Amino acid sequence: MAGAGLASCSQPIPSYTVMGNIPDSTFNGKTVYIFDRDKGQNIDSAVIENGAFTFTGQIDTAVLCLTQVGRKYYTTFMLENGTIQLNMETPNSASGTPLNETFSSYIQEEKRISELFQNEIREQEQDKSKVQELTKTYYDNEYKPAYMAMLKDFIDKNQDNYIGAFALQNLSNFMNPEEMESIIAQSSA
């Protein structure tokens, strides 16, 4: 029985390490925070030294967080146990853990669809009288269906984590309650 107790003592306690860099040395000595977006409160802090900062701690459940330094440097990321690297010059580009890799792919896909929409609208801007009509038509027929399909795909692939819930919340902006009930029932099956 004593051997079982020793084996459990040697198991590492899950923890997170979040590392980031700031290219602007004027922030040295300043405190940076991890802000829990769901609870609306700071949950960790670190001091910037030599343009770098590191947070360490433990968390039971992954949460969507924001870290911001000044107005220019910020990133949204999933705080979960593991080693997370923040690129403060590129918003929403955290890496190193499974949910952050998934969240980054979500953000990239969202950006790709939005850029397609914006490029299509720019091409149509020569005729100002038709821009509004073309924008609505393209939005309804191209952008919205592509974006909703992307959200549904992320919901299907992430039913057991925060990314699925995040995508479901965004999808609710495009659907009525009855349609949402159907999506929830499908993802629960």
Side-chain angles (χ1 to χ4, degrees):
M1 198 64 153
L6 289 175
S8 66
C9 289
S10 66
Q11 295 294 322
I13 298 172
S15 64
Y16 64 81
T17 300
V18 179
M19 300 175 290
N21 293 300
I22 305 292
D24 185 341
S25 64
T26 62
F27 291 106
N28 286 336
K30 304 283 186 198
T31 302
V32 60
Y33 299 92
I34 294 179
F35 180 78
D36 181 330
R37 290 183 49 162
D38 290 338
K39 292 182 179 174
Q41 63 188 29
N42 292 328
I43 56 175
D44 203 347
S45 64
V47 175
I48 301 168
E49 296 177 8
N50 298 316
F53 58 88
T54 302
F55 301 97
T56 57
Q58 297 172 336
I59 190 158
D60 294 327
T61 305
V63 292
L64 185 64
C65 292
L66 170 73
T67 295
Q68 183 169 354
V69 178
R71 291 183 177 196
K72 185 176 177 182
Y73 305 108
Y74 65 93
T75 194
T76 301
F77 65 101
M78 296 300 303
L79 181 61
E80 62 180 322
N81 290 319
T83 301
I84 301 167
Q85 184 66 44
L86 303 181
N87 180 348
M88 298 300 289
E89 291 184 271
T90 306
N92 309 323
S93 62
S95 61
T97 60
L99 286 180
N100 279 298
E101 298 297 335
T102 301
F103 187 63
S104 288
S105 69
Y106 173 93
I107 295 299
Q108 292 304 316
E109 186 63 13
E110 183 178 61
K111 182 179 176 183
R112 184 189 69 77
I113 291 170
S114 293
E115 286 173 354
L116 286 172
F117 177 65
Q118 291 169 359
N119 290 338
E120 181 67 26
I121 299 309
R122 275 190 215 108
E123 288 178 16
Q124 306 300 326
E125 284 183 349
Q126 285 111 12
D127 187 351
K128 300 285 184 195
S129 64
K130 294 184 179 182
V131 169
Q132 190 172 8
E133 179 185 332
L134 289 170
T135 299
K136 180 170 177 19
T137 301
Y138 186 80
Y139 176 84
D140 289 341
N141 297 330
E142 302 291 332
Y143 175 80
K144 184 177 173 184
Y147 189 68
M148 288 175 64
M150 184 266 302
L151 291 172
K152 289 176 184 177
D153 185 51
F154 273 92
I155 291 166
D156 288 343
K157 291 178 181 174
N158 295 280
Q159 293 183 21
D160 63 343
N161 64 52
Y162 192 99
I163 302 297
F166 183 78
L168 187 64
Q169 181 182 5
N170 284 333
L171 185 62
S172 71
N173 294 320
F174 297 97
M175 302 179 103
N176 64 45
E178 293 80 25
E179 292 170 318
M180 286 303 297
E181 285 179 21
S182 171
I183 295 294
I184 292 168
Q186 289 173 4
S187 65
S188 299

Coordinates of all heavy atoms in Angstrom, one line a residue, residues 21-99:
N21 N 6.6 37.9 -25.2 CA 7.6 38.9 -25.4 C 6.9 40.2 -25.8 O 5.9 40.2 -26.6 CB 8.6 38.5 -26.4 CG 9.4 37.3 -25.9 OD1 10.1 37.4 -25.0 ND2 9.3 36.2 -26.6
I22 N 7.5 41.3 -25.4 CA 7.1 42.7 -25.8 C 8.3 43.3 -26.5 O 9.3 43.5 -25.8 CB 6.6 43.5 -24.6 CG1 5.5 42.8 -23.8 CG2 6.2 44.9 -25.1 CD1 4.2 42.6 -24.5
P23 N 8.2 43.8 -27.7 CA 9.3 44.4 -28.4 C 9.6 45.8 -27.9 O 10.6 46.4 -28.3 CB 8.9 44.3 -29.9 CG 7.5 44.3 -29.9 CD 7.0 43.6 -28.6
D24 N 8.7 46.4 -27.1 CA 8.9 47.8 -26.7 C 9.4 47.8 -25.3 O 8.7 47.5 -24.3 CB 7.5 48.4 -26.7 CG 7.5 49.9 -26.4 OD1 8.5 50.4 -25.8 OD2 6.5 50.6 -26.8
S25 N 10.7 48.2 -25.1 CA 11.3 48.2 -23.8 C 10.7 49.2 -22.8 O 11.0 49.1 -21.6 CB 12.8 48.5 -24.0 OG 13.0 49.8 -24.5
T26 N 9.9 50.1 -23.2 CA 9.3 51.1 -22.3 C 8.3 50.4 -21.3 O 7.9 50.9 -20.3 CB 8.5 52.2 -23.0 OG1 7.5 51.6 -23.8 CG2 9.5 53.0 -23.9
F27 N 8.0 49.1 -21.6 CA 7.1 48.4 -20.7 C 7.8 47.6 -19.7 O 7.2 47.0 -18.8 CB 6.1 47.5 -21.5 CG 5.1 48.2 -22.4 CD1 5.3 48.3 -23.7 CD2 4.0 48.8 -21.7 CE1 4.3 49.0 -24.5 CE2 3.1 49.5 -22.5 CZ 3.2 49.6 -23.9
N28 N 9.1 47.6 -19.7 CA 9.9 46.9 -18.7 C 9.5 47.4 -17.3 O 9.4 48.6 -17.1 CB 11.4 47.0 -18.9 CG 11.9 46.1 -20.1 OD1 11.3 45.2 -20.4 ND2 13.0 46.5 -20.7
G29 N 9.3 46.5 -16.4 CA 8.9 46.9 -15.0 C 7.4 47.0 -14.8 O 7.0 47.1 -13.7
K30 N 6.7 47.0 -15.9 CA 5.2 47.1 -15.8 C 4.6 45.7 -15.5 O 5.2 44.7 -15.9 CB 4.6 47.7 -17.1 CG 5.2 49.0 -17.5 CD 4.6 50.1 -16.7 CE 5.1 51.4 -17.3 NZ 5.0 52.5 -16.5
T31 N 3.4 45.7 -14.9 CA 2.7 44.5 -14.7 C 1.8 44.2 -15.8 O 1.1 45.0 -16.3 CB 2.0 44.6 -13.3 OG1 2.9 44.9 -12.3 CG2 1.3 43.3 -13.0
V32 N 1.7 42.9 -16.2 CA 0.8 42.4 -17.2 C -0.1 41.4 -16.5 O 0.4 40.7 -15.6 CB 1.6 41.8 -18.4 CG1 2.5 40.7 -18.0 CG2 0.6 41.4 -19.5
Y33 N -1.3 41.3 -17.0 CA -2.3 40.5 -16.3 C -2.9 39.5 -17.3 O -3.0 39.7 -18.5 CB -3.5 41.3 -15.7 CG -3.0 42.3 -14.7 CD1 -2.7 43.6 -15.0 CD2 -2.9 41.9 -13.4 CE1 -2.2 44.5 -14.1 CE2 -2.5 42.8 -12.4 CZ -2.1 44.1 -12.8 OH -1.7 44.9 -11.8
I34 N -3.3 38.3 -16.8 CA -4.2 37.4 -17.5 C -5.6 37.8 -17.1 O -5.9 37.7 -15.9 CB -3.9 35.9 -17.2 CG1 -2.5 35.6 -17.8 CG2 -5.0 35.1 -17.9 CD1 -2.1 34.1 -17.5
F35 N -6.5 38.1 -18.0 CA -7.8 38.6 -17.7 C -8.8 37.5 -18.2 O -8.8 37.1 -19.4 CB -8.1 39.9 -18.5 CG -9.5 40.4 -18.3 CD1 -9.8 41.1 -17.1 CD2 -10.5 40.3 -19.2 CE1 -11.1 41.6 -16.9 CE2 -11.8 40.8 -19.1 CZ -12.1 41.4 -17.9
D36 N -9.6 36.9 -17.3 CA -10.6 35.9 -17.6 C -11.8 36.6 -18.3 O -12.5 37.3 -17.6 CB -11.0 35.1 -16.3 CG -12.0 34.0 -16.6 OD1 -12.8 34.1 -17.5 OD2 -12.0 33.1 -15.8
R37 N -12.0 36.3 -19.5 CA -13.1 37.0 -20.3 C -14.5 36.6 -19.8 O -15.4 37.4 -19.9 CB -12.9 36.8 -21.8 CG -11.7 37.5 -22.3 CD -11.5 37.4 -23.8 NE -12.8 37.7 -24.4 CZ -12.9 38.0 -25.7 NH1 -11.8 38.0 -26.5 NH2 -14.0 38.2 -26.3
D38 N -14.6 35.4 -19.3 CA -15.9 35.0 -18.9 C -16.3 35.6 -17.5 O -17.4 36.0 -17.3 CB -16.0 33.4 -18.8 CG -16.0 32.8 -20.1 OD1 -16.3 33.4 -21.1 OD2 -15.6 31.6 -20.2
K39 N -15.4 35.6 -16.6 CA -15.6 36.1 -15.3 C -15.4 37.6 -15.1 O -15.8 38.3 -14.2 CB -14.8 35.4 -14.2 CG -15.1 34.0 -14.1 CD -14.3 33.3 -13.0 CE -14.7 31.8 -12.8 NZ -13.9 31.1 -11.9
G40 N -14.7 38.2 -16.1 CA -14.4 39.6 -16.1 C -13.5 40.1 -15.0 O -13.6 41.1 -14.4
Q41 N -12.4 39.2 -14.8 CA -11.5 39.6 -13.7 C -10.1 39.1 -14.0 O -9.9 38.1 -14.8 CB -12.0 39.0 -12.4 CG -12.0 37.5 -12.3 CD -12.6 36.9 -11.1 OE1 -13.5 37.6 -10.5 NE2 -12.2 35.7 -10.7
N42 N -9.1 39.7 -13.4 CA -7.7 39.3 -13.6 C -7.5 38.0 -12.7 O -8.0 38.0 -11.6 CB -6.8 40.4 -13.1 CG -6.8 41.6 -14.0 OD1 -7.0 41.5 -15.2 ND2 -6.6 42.7 -13.5
I43 N -6.8 37.1 -13.3 CA -6.6 35.8 -12.6 C -5.1 35.5 -12.3 O -4.7 34.6 -11.6 CB -7.2 34.6 -13.2 CG1 -6.8 34.4 -14.7 CG2 -8.7 34.8 -13.2 CD1 -7.4 33.2 -15.3
D44 N -4.2 36.3 -13.0 CA -2.8 36.1 -12.7 C -2.1 37.4 -13.2 O -2.6 38.2 -14.0 CB -2.2 34.9 -13.5 CG -0.9 34.3 -12.9 OD1 -0.3 35.0 -12.1 OD2 -0.6 33.2 -13.3
S45 N -0.8 37.6 -12.7 CA 0.0 38.7 -13.1 C 1.4 38.4 -13.1 O 1.9 37.4 -12.5 CB -0.3 39.9 -12.1 OG 0.2 39.5 -10.8
A46 N 2.2 39.2 -13.9 CA 3.6 39.0 -14.0 C 4.2 40.3 -14.3 O 3.6 41.2 -14.9 CB 4.0 38.0 -15.1
V47 N 5.5 40.5 -14.0 CA 6.2 41.7 -14.3 C 7.0 41.5 -15.6 O 7.7 40.5 -15.7 CB 7.1 42.1 -13.1 CG1 7.9 43.4 -13.5 CG2 6.3 42.4 -11.9
I48 N 7.0 42.5 -16.5 CA 7.8 42.4 -17.7 C 9.2 42.8 -17.4 O 9.5 43.9 -16.8 CB 7.2 43.4 -18.8 CG1 5.8 43.1 -19.1 CG2 8.1 43.4 -20.0 CD1 5.0 44.1 -19.9
E49 N 10.1 41.9 -17.7 CA 11.6 42.1 -17.5 C 12.3 41.8 -18.8 O 12.1 40.7 -19.4 CB 12.1 41.2 -16.4 CG 11.5 41.5 -15.0 CD 11.9 40.5 -14.0 OE1 12.8 39.7 -14.2 OE2 11.4 40.6 -12.9
N50 N 13.1 42.7 -19.3 CA 13.9 42.6 -20.5 C 13.0 42.2 -21.7 O 13.3 41.3 -22.5 CB 15.0 41.5 -20.3 CG 16.0 42.0 -19.3 OD1 16.4 43.1 -19.2 ND2 16.3 41.0 -18.4
G51 N 11.8 42.8 -21.7 CA 10.9 42.6 -22.8 C 10.2 41.2 -22.8 O 9.6 40.8 -23.8
A52 N 10.2 40.5 -21.6 CA 9.6 39.2 -21.6 C 8.8 39.1 -20.3 O 9.1 39.8 -19.3 CB 10.6 38.1 -21.7
F53 N 7.8 38.2 -20.3 CA 7.1 37.9 -19.0 C 6.7 36.4 -19.0 O 6.6 35.8 -20.1 CB 5.8 38.8 -18.9 CG 4.9 38.6 -20.1 CD1 3.9 37.6 -20.1 CD2 4.9 39.5 -21.2 CE1 3.0 37.5 -21.2 CE2 4.1 39.3 -22.2 CZ 3.1 38.4 -22.2
T54 N 6.5 35.9 -17.9 CA 6.1 34.5 -17.7 C 5.1 34.4 -16.6 O 5.3 34.9 -15.5 CB 7.3 33.6 -17.4 OG1 8.2 33.7 -18.4 CG2 6.9 32.1 -17.2
F55 N 4.0 33.7 -16.8 CA 3.0 33.4 -15.8 C 3.1 31.9 -15.5 O 3.3 31.1 -16.5 CB 1.5 33.6 -16.3 CG 1.2 35.0 -16.8 CD1 1.3 35.4 -18.1 CD2 0.8 36.0 -15.9 CE1 0.9 36.6 -18.6 CE2 0.5 37.2 -16.3 CZ 0.5 37.6 -17.6
T56 N 2.9 31.5 -14.3 CA 2.9 30.1 -14.0 C 1.7 29.9 -12.9 O 1.5 30.8 -12.1 CB 4.2 29.5 -13.4 OG1 4.5 30.3 -12.2 CG2 5.3 29.6 -14.4
G57 N 1.1 28.8 -13.0 CA 0.0 28.5 -12.1 C -0.7 27.2 -12.4 O -0.3 26.5 -13.3
Q58 N -1.9 27.0 -11.8 CA -2.7 25.9 -12.1 C -4.1 26.3 -12.4 O -4.6 27.3 -11.9 CB -2.7 25.0 -10.8 CG -1.3 24.4 -10.5 CD -1.4 23.7 -9.2 OE1 -2.2 23.9 -8.3 NE2 -0.4 22.7 -9.0
I59 N -4.7 25.5 -13.2 CA -6.1 25.8 -13.6 C -6.9 24.5 -13.7 O -6.3 23.5 -14.3 CB -6.2 26.7 -14.8 CG1 -7.6 27.2 -15.0 CG2 -5.7 26.0 -16.0 CD1 -7.7 28.4 -15.9
D60 N -8.1 24.4 -13.2 CA -8.8 23.2 -13.3 C -9.5 23.0 -14.7 O -9.6 21.9 -15.2 CB -9.9 23.1 -12.2 CG -9.3 23.0 -10.8 OD1 -8.3 22.4 -10.7 OD2 -9.9 23.6 -9.9
T61 N -10.0 24.1 -15.2 CA -10.8 24.1 -16.5 C -10.3 25.2 -17.4 O -10.1 26.3 -16.9 CB -12.3 24.3 -16.2 OG1 -12.8 23.4 -15.2 CG2 -13.1 24.2 -17.5
A62 N -10.1 24.9 -18.6 CA -9.6 25.9 -19.6 C -10.6 27.1 -19.7 O -11.8 26.9 -19.6 CB -9.4 25.3 -21.0
V63 N -10.1 28.3 -19.8 CA -10.9 29.5 -19.9 C -10.3 30.4 -21.0 O -9.1 30.4 -21.3 CB -11.0 30.3 -18.6 CG1 -11.8 29.5 -17.6 CG2 -9.7 30.6 -18.1
L64 N -11.2 31.2 -21.6 CA -10.8 32.1 -22.6 C -10.3 33.4 -21.9 O -11.0 34.0 -21.1 CB -12.0 32.5 -23.5 CG -11.7 33.4 -24.7 CD1 -10.7 32.8 -25.7 CD2 -13.0 33.8 -25.4
C65 N -9.1 33.8 -22.2 CA -8.4 34.9 -21.5 C -7.9 35.9 -22.5 O -7.7 35.7 -23.7 CB -7.3 34.4 -20.6 SG -7.9 33.4 -19.3
L66 N -7.5 37.1 -22.0 CA -6.9 38.2 -22.7 C -5.7 38.7 -21.9 O -5.8 38.8 -20.7 CB -7.9 39.3 -22.9 CG -7.4 40.6 -23.4 CD1 -7.1 40.5 -24.9 CD2 -8.4 41.7 -23.2
T67 N -4.6 38.9 -22.6 CA -3.5 39.6 -22.0 C -3.2 40.8 -22.9 O -3.2 40.7 -24.1 CB -2.2 38.7 -22.0 OG1 -2.5 37.6 -21.1 CG2 -1.0 39.4 -21.5
Q68 N -3.0 42.0 -22.2 CA -2.8 43.2 -23.0 C -1.8 44.0 -22.3 O -1.7 44.1 -21.1 CB -4.1 44.0 -23.1 CG -4.0 45.3 -23.9 CD -5.4 45.9 -24.2 OE1 -6.4 45.3 -23.9 NE2 -5.4 47.0 -24.8
V69 N -0.9 44.6 -23.1 CA 0.1 45.5 -22.6 C 0.0 46.8 -23.5 O 0.2 46.8 -24.7 CB 1.5 44.9 -22.8 CG1 2.6 45.9 -22.3 CG2 1.6 43.6 -22.0
G70 N -0.4 47.9 -22.8 CA -0.6 49.1 -23.5 C -1.8 48.9 -24.5 O -2.7 48.0 -24.3
R71 N -1.9 49.7 -25.5 CA -3.0 49.6 -26.5 C -2.6 48.7 -27.7 O -3.5 48.2 -28.3 CB -3.4 50.9 -27.0 CG -4.1 51.7 -25.9 CD -4.6 53.0 -26.4 NE -5.3 53.7 -25.3 CZ -6.1 54.7 -25.4 NH1 -6.3 55.2 -26.6 NH2 -6.7 55.2 -24.4
K72 N -1.3 48.6 -27.9 CA -0.9 48.0 -29.2 C -0.7 46.5 -29.0 O -0.9 45.7 -30.0 CB 0.5 48.6 -29.6 CG 1.0 48.1 -30.9 CD 2.3 48.9 -31.3 CE 2.8 48.3 -32.6 NZ 4.1 49.0 -32.9
Y73 N -0.3 46.0 -27.9 CA 0.1 44.6 -27.7 C -1.0 43.8 -26.9 O -1.2 44.1 -25.7 CB 1.4 44.4 -27.0 CG 2.5 45.2 -27.8 CD1 3.0 46.4 -27.2 CD2 3.0 44.8 -29.0 CE1 4.0 47.1 -27.9 CE2 3.9 45.5 -29.7 CZ 4.5 46.6 -29.1 OH 5.4 47.3 -29.8
Y74 N -1.6 42.9 -27.6 CA -2.7 42.1 -26.9 C -2.8 40.8 -27.6 O -2.5 40.6 -28.8 CB -4.0 42.8 -26.8 CG -4.6 43.1 -28.2 CD1 -5.5 42.2 -28.7 CD2 -4.3 44.2 -28.9 CE1 -6.1 42.4 -29.9 CE2 -4.8 44.4 -30.1 CZ -5.7 43.5 -30.7 OH -6.3 43.7 -31.9
T75 N -3.4 39.8 -26.9 CA -3.8 38.5 -27.5 C -4.8 37.8 -26.7 O -4.8 37.9 -25.5 CB -2.6 37.6 -27.8 OG1 -3.0 36.6 -28.7 CG2 -2.0 37.0 -26.6
T76 N -5.7 37.2 -27.4 CA -6.7 36.4 -26.7 C -6.3 34.9 -26.8 O -5.7 34.5 -27.9 CB -8.1 36.5 -27.4 OG1 -8.5 37.9 -27.3 CG2 -9.2 35.7 -26.7
F77 N -6.4 34.1 -25.8 CA -5.9 32.8 -25.8 C -6.7 31.9 -24.8 O -7.4 32.4 -24.0 CB -4.4 32.7 -25.5 CG -4.1 33.2 -24.1 CD1 -3.8 32.2 -23.1 CD2 -4.0 34.5 -23.7 CE1 -3.5 32.6 -21.8 CE2 -3.7 34.9 -22.5 CZ -3.4 34.0 -21.5
M78 N -6.5 30.6 -24.9 CA -7.1 29.7 -24.0 C -6.1 29.4 -22.9 O -5.0 28.9 -23.2 CB -7.5 28.4 -24.7 CG -8.5 28.5 -25.8 SD -10.1 29.1 -25.3 CE -10.5 27.9 -24.0
L79 N -6.4 29.7 -21.7 CA -5.6 29.4 -20.6 C -5.9 27.9 -20.2 O -7.0 27.6 -19.7 CB -5.8 30.3 -19.4 CG -4.9 30.0 -18.2 CD1 -3.4 30.2 -18.5 CD2 -5.2 31.0 -17.0
E80 N -5.0 27.1 -20.3 CA -5.1 25.7 -20.0 C -3.7 25.2 -19.5 O -2.7 25.8 -19.7 CB -5.6 24.8 -21.2 CG -4.6 24.8 -22.3 CD -5.1 24.0 -23.5 OE1 -5.7 22.9 -23.3 OE2 -4.9 24.4 -24.6
N81 N -3.7 24.1 -18.8 CA -2.5 23.5 -18.3 C -1.6 23.1 -19.5 O -2.1 22.6 -20.5 CB -2.7 22.3 -17.4 CG -3.3 22.8 -16.1 OD1 -2.9 23.8 -15.5 ND2 -4.3 22.1 -15.6
G82 N -0.3 23.5 -19.4 CA 0.7 23.2 -20.5 C 1.5 24.5 -20.7 O 1.4 25.4 -19.9
T83 N 2.4 24.4 -21.7 CA 3.2 25.6 -22.0 C 2.6 26.3 -23.2 O 2.5 25.8 -24.2 CB 4.7 25.1 -22.3 OG1 5.2 24.4 -21.2 CG2 5.6 26.3 -22.6
I84 N 2.3 27.6 -22.9 CA 1.7 28.4 -23.9 C 2.6 29.6 -24.3 O 3.2 30.3 -23.4 CB 0.3 29.0 -23.4 CG1 -0.6 27.9 -23.0 CG2 -0.3 29.9 -24.4 CD1 -1.8 28.3 -22.1
Q85 N 2.8 29.8 -25.6 CA 3.6 30.9 -26.1 C 2.7 32.0 -26.7 O 1.8 31.7 -27.5 CB 4.6 30.4 -27.2 CG 5.5 31.5 -27.7 CD 6.5 32.0 -26.6 OE1 7.0 31.2 -25.8 NE2 6.6 33.3 -26.5
L86 N 2.8 33.2 -26.2 CA 2.0 34.3 -26.8 C 2.9 35.2 -27.7 O 4.0 35.6 -27.3 CB 1.5 35.2 -25.6 CG 0.6 34.5 -24.5 CD1 0.1 35.5 -23.5 CD2 -0.6 33.8 -25.2
N87 N 2.3 35.5 -28.8 CA 3.0 36.4 -29.7 C 2.2 37.8 -29.6 O 1.2 37.9 -30.2 CB 2.9 35.9 -31.2 CG 3.6 36.9 -32.1 OD1 3.9 38.0 -31.8 ND2 3.8 36.4 -33.3
M88 N 2.7 38.6 -28.8 CA 2.0 39.9 -28.4 C 1.9 40.8 -29.6 O 1.1 41.8 -29.6 CB 2.6 40.6 -27.2 CG 2.6 39.7 -26.0 SD 0.9 39.3 -25.4 CE 0.3 40.9 -24.8
E89 N 2.6 40.6 -30.7 CA 2.5 41.5 -31.8 C 1.5 41.0 -32.8 O 1.1 41.7 -33.7 CB 3.9 41.5 -32.6 CG 4.9 42.3 -31.8 CD 6.2 42.4 -32.6 OE1 7.1 41.5 -32.4 OE2 6.4 43.4 -33.3
T90 N 1.0 39.8 -32.6 CA 0.0 39.2 -33.5 C -1.2 38.7 -32.6 O -1.1 37.7 -32.0 CB 0.5 38.0 -34.3 OG1 1.7 38.4 -35.0 CG2 -0.5 37.5 -35.3
P91 N -2.3 39.5 -32.6 CA -3.4 39.1 -31.7 C -3.9 37.7 -32.0 O -3.9 37.3 -33.2 CB -4.5 40.2 -32.0 CG -3.7 41.3 -32.5 CD -2.5 40.7 -33.3
N92 N -4.4 37.0 -31.0 CA -5.0 35.7 -31.2 C -4.2 34.7 -31.8 O -4.7 33.9 -32.6 CB -6.4 35.9 -31.9 CG -7.2 37.0 -31.3 OD1 -7.3 37.1 -30.1 ND2 -7.9 37.7 -32.2
S93 N -2.9 34.6 -31.5 CA -2.0 33.7 -32.1 C -1.2 32.9 -31.1 O -0.1 32.5 -31.3 CB -1.0 34.4 -33.1 OG -0.2 35.3 -32.3
A94 N -1.8 32.5 -30.0 CA -1.2 31.7 -29.0 C -0.9 30.3 -29.5 O -1.7 29.8 -30.4 CB -2.0 31.6 -27.7
S95 N 0.1 29.7 -29.0 CA 0.4 28.3 -29.5 C 1.0 27.5 -28.3 O 1.3 28.0 -27.3 CB 1.4 28.4 -30.6 OG 2.6 29.0 -30.2
G96 N 1.1 26.2 -28.6 CA 1.8 25.3 -27.6 C 0.9 24.3 -26.9 O 1.4 23.3 -26.4
T97 N -0.4 24.6 -26.9 CA -1.3 23.6 -26.2 C -2.4 23.2 -27.2 O -2.7 24.0 -28.1 CB -1.9 24.2 -24.9 OG1 -2.6 25.4 -25.3 CG2 -0.9 24.5 -23.9
P98 N -3.1 22.1 -27.0 CA -4.1 21.7 -27.9 C -5.2 22.7 -28.2 O -5.6 23.0 -29.3 CB -4.7 20.4 -27.3 CG -3.5 19.9 -26.5 CD -2.8 21.1 -25.9
L99 N -5.8 23.3 -27.1 CA -6.9 24.2 -27.3 C -6.4 25.5 -28.0 O -7.1 26.1 -28.8 CB -7.6 24.5 -26.0 CG -8.5 23.5 -25.5 CD1 -9.1 23.9 -24.2 CD2 -9.6 23.1 -26.5

